[in-house]
Amino acid sequence: MTGRLITFEGGDGAGKSTQTARLADYLADLGVEVVCTREPGGTAEAEAIRLLLVSGDRGWDPLTEAMLHFAARREHVEKRIRPALASGKWVVSDRFYDSTVAYQCYGQGVAPEDEAVLRRLAIGDLQPDLTLLLDIPVAVGRERALARQKSRYEAMNDDLHLRVRTGFLEIARREPERLAVIDAAQDPDSVARAVQTVVAGRFGLS
Ligand code: TMP
């Protein structure tokens, strides 16, 4: 029996970390063994790469930046995600490769063909079973994120964040069977209920 991979995606301030934890609790209450994780990160090695990407103020070349995200992702997939799935656990990840498509391709101009090459090299054909896109207008997400210290990405301009939102919505339009779009401007309880309805329906849980 292999587990399931569920990912959360969306712009900054959409509430992904809260909803990742709430979905993990919901699944655990149903008796599912869950691994709750995040990207960039999820292993010590990938968290070390995260520090370079998220808290530094370096001006990476965009393709270099995509390579760093995939380097972190390979560590995460090989050492944490695949072993968990192989032992029947469900993995809930706060971000996965759709973030690279949205931020590095739509946001920073990396060619989609280059992302595809990196993805295949780093993680083969692994795909999430379900991706929950927490969609929120950029201004609302940015307002919410004001309270915390800005990451390198949060410090980037509104235009980039608008392109990132468009990117996520286009991915959802292209792959409607994998991605469900959730209105993340609602209060957290309503978002959590919407997430649970999608997950229960998709996997036949009750
Ligand atoms: P977080 O704020 O959701 O923890 O994510 C850290 C930042 O990293 C977020 O602003 C988006 C960015 N990011 C990318 O640009 N590409 C990626 O592939 C991933 C996973 C995250």
Side-chain angles (χ1 to χ4, degrees):
M1 186 188 89
T2 70
R4 305 282 188 182
L5 174 58
I6 302 175
T7 60
F8 277 92
E9 296 286 0
D12 297 289
K16 286 179 308 305
S17 19
T18 306
Q19 296 301 331
T20 300
R22 291 192 62 162
L23 177 60
D25 287 348
Y26 164 79
L27 291 170
D29 285 348
L30 291 173
V32 174
E33 270 197 279
V34 192
V35 172
C36 192
T37 187
R38 70 166 181 183
E39 288 204 346
T43 70
E45 294 77 9
E47 291 287 338
I49 298 173
R50 177 189 176 90
L51 282 180
L52 289 174
L53 285 161
V54 174
S55 45
D57 60 358
R58 293 175 175 81
W60 303 107
D61 164 78
L63 184 57
T64 307
E65 192 153 336
M67 288 170 159
L68 286 170
H69 278 292
F70 272 111
R73 186 162 299 126
R74 179 172 172 79
E75 289 290 322
H76 189 206
V77 165
E78 291 300 309
K79 295 181 181 163
R80 192 130 187 249
I81 296 180
R82 285 198 203 278
L85 295 175
S87 66
K89 294 184 183 140
W90 290 38
V91 176
V92 181
S93 184
D94 177 349
R95 298 195 185 279
F96 200 51
Y97 61 68
D98 295 311
S99 281
T100 309
V101 176
Y103 282 82
Q104 278 66 55
C105 296
Y106 284 89
Q108 300 181 301
V110 167
E113 313 82 71
D114 289 347
E115 188 278 336
V117 169
L118 294 177
R119 192 194 305 174
R120 172 144 294 272
L121 181 65
I123 65 166
D125 59 5
L126 180 67
Q127 278 187 27
D129 295 287
L130 173 66
T131 298
L132 299 146
L133 172 55
L134 301 189
D135 181 55
I136 194 162
V138 169
V140 180
R142 289 190 41 96
E143 180 73 30
R144 279 193 192 168
L146 274 185
R148 55 182 193 230
Q149 207 195 344
K150 276 204 172 90
S151 70
R152 191 169 64 84
Y153 291 98
E154 283 165 336
M156 291 177 184
N157 63 34
D158 278 358
D159 280 357
L160 175 127
H161 290 280
L162 289 167
R163 290 197 300 278
V164 166
R165 184 183 186 206
T166 303
F168 277 130
L169 289 171
E170 280 199 22
I171 299 168
R173 200 176 43 74
R174 281 201 303 265
E175 295 182 67
E177 65 302 326
R178 177 170 70 83
L179 282 93
V181 183
I182 310 257
D183 173 9
Q186 310 171 81
D187 63 277
D189 286 344
S190 304
V191 176
R193 274 194 301 274
V195 165
Q196 287 165 17
T197 302
V198 171
V199 171
R202 191 66 65 101
F203 299 110
L205 305 172
S206 52

